């Protein structure tokens, strides 16, 4: 479904600030996979997402999505088939526009209320009601007035309004309080399962990484050092995962945010 073949990426090559992130990285993602991704800062997690989404181009290598080579495809074209959520709830929505206008953008209406008919307005309300946040009664409120959790849930709905081929979740609950984070993850799992969306999620919570989705990978210094799924993954504890990482990378995972997020 998604293939990354022999990916190379170096930032500021030939300068004192040169940073090699990927050196011949390859990854295959099957249709319907929900992969959780763990790694310390600098491991390459967000760069991986940026390359997939087209925010950066690869130096060398090939990216294939659903049989189509998208290696050189601009990010705005990839956005039609790749949904993405960021850690910052302020990203992904237009704060000065209403909830209804934001949903109109997601539906491909350009945000113009005059182009939304009564049937579509009803659909917006019905979809919002599934969030159980009361947003269906605030359709004409500016998105900038919503809480972080409400904005993130709305962003998730917008990213999946037209079912994407791939959904990228970049620590999309990390900035939320625990209760709200749990709520947004419940909504995430429901949307992914019901729409059968292939999904990749970066997380700092190792317990969540093991109980969410069907496959977990761990990254270190631009490499995938652990890749577990199926029965093997189902039997793992957090300590087991840490041991696998240590043996595969030769290092102990030393990111306090990840370790304390257990």
């Amino acid at each position: 479904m998604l293939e990354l073949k022999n990916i190379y990426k170096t930032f500021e090559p030939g300068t004192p600030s040169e940073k090699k992130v990927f050196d011949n990285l390859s990854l295959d993602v099957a249709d319907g996979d929900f992969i959780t991704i763990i790694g310390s800062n600098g491991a390459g997690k967000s760069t991986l997402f940026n390359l997939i989404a087209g925010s950066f181009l690869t130096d060398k290598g090939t990216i294939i999505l659903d049989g189509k080579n998208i290696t050189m495809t601009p990010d705005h074209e990839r956005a039609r088939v790749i949904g993405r959520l960021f850690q910052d709830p302020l990203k992904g929505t237009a704060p000065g526009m209403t909830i209804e206008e934001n949903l109109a953008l997601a539906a491909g209406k350009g945000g113009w209320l005059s182009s939304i008919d009564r049937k579509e307005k009803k659909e917006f309300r019905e979809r919002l009601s599934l969030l159980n946040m009361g947003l269906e009664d605030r359709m004409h409120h500016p998105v900038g007035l919503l809480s972080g959790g409400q904005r993130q849930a709305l962003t998730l709905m917008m990213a999946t309004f037209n079912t994407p081929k791939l959904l990228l979740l970049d620590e999309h609950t990390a900035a939320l309080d625990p209760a709200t984070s749990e709520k947004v993850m419940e909504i995430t799992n429901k949307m992914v399962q019901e729409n059968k969306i292939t999904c990749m999620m970066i997380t700092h919570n190792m317990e969540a990484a093991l109980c969410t989705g069907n496959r977990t990978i761990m990254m270190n210094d631009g490499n995938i050092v652990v890749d577990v799924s199926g029965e093997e993954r189902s039997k793992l504890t957090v300590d087991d995962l840490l041991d696998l990482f240590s043996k595969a990378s030769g290092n102990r995972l030393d990111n306090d945010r990840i370790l304390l997020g257990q």
Side-chain angles (χ1 to χ4, degrees), residues 218-234:
M218 298 186 75
M219 299 184 67
N220 181 64
D221 196 23
N223 297 300
I224 296 172
V225 295
V226 174
D227 188 343
V228 290
S229 58
E231 186 176 353
E232 179 187 7
R233 178 178 182 262
S234 68

Side-chain angles (χ1 to χ4, degrees), residues 134-177:
L135 298 183
E136 66 275 14
D137 297 321
R138 302 176 63 184
M139 296 267 285
H140 301 293
H141 288 216
V143 169
L145 299 180
L146 302 182
S147 68
Q150 290 171 330
R151 285 186 70 160
Q152 206 66 315
L154 177 62
T155 302
L156 180 62
M157 175 164 287
M158 292 172 63
T160 58
F161 195 95
N162 298 307
T163 305
K165 294 182 184 295
L166 178 67
L167 179 62
L168 304 176
L169 306 174
D170 193 347
E171 295 197 79
H172 71 304
T173 65
L176 309 176
D177 65 80

